[in-house]
Amino acid sequence: MNNYQSNYTSAELEKVAISRFRSLMHFLPRDCKIGREKWGSSTILVLDFANCPHLLEATKKQYLLLLIGANYLGLTNSLLFRVERKVIEWKTLK
């Protein structure tokens, strides 16, 4: 019998993974909100630029690096760029 007991919930692990993602992607604006959402049968990583819309275009150019990092951390294979409720672009790692 394994004596190891985990005190982590999946929500806590997700917060840790998102925090690690942010630290690895040093170019992400501090004001960019990051979260995961369920879209149909997929879970995507949402980058919300509501607090820094002027930085969206420059960050979108780094989408491949963002996708590789998200995939490496087991977060997702898809990114959604948005400003509040407005979807700007969807990218998927193929």
Side-chain angles (χ1 to χ4, degrees):
M1 182 174 167
N2 188 348
N3 290 331
Y4 176 77
Q5 288 186 321
S6 174
N7 292 326
Y8 292 106
T9 65
S10 60
E12 290 169 332
L13 290 172
E14 183 171 306
K15 286 179 188 177
V16 170
I18 288 173
S19 176
R20 181 71 177 138
F21 176 77
R22 184 179 286 282
S23 71
L24 289 172
M25 302 299 141
H26 62 276
F27 58 87
L28 268 174
R30 282 195 174 303
D31 292 335
C32 177
K33 297 176 192 170
I34 303 171
R36 288 190 342 149
E37 292 181 6
K38 196 87 162 141
W39 280 56
S41 62
S42 300
T43 301
I44 60 169
L45 192 65
V46 177
L47 304 176
D48 188 345
F49 288 80
N51 295 328
C52 53
H54 59 288
L55 299 172
L56 172 62
E57 289 304 316
T59 307
K60 278 183 8 183
K61 292 177 183 176
Q62 301 294 328
Y63 79 89
L64 188 55
L65 186 55
L66 292 165
L67 280 168
I68 291 169
N71 180 265
Y72 173 75
L73 294 170
L75 288 167
T76 189
N77 291 329
S78 297
L79 290 177
L80 180 72
F81 293 93
R82 75 176 180 205
V83 177
E84 292 181 16
R85 293 181 172 253
K86 183 179 180 184
V87 173
I88 305 299
E89 195 163 343
W90 181 303
K91 295 288 189 180
T92 301
L93 188 63
K94 296 179 182 184

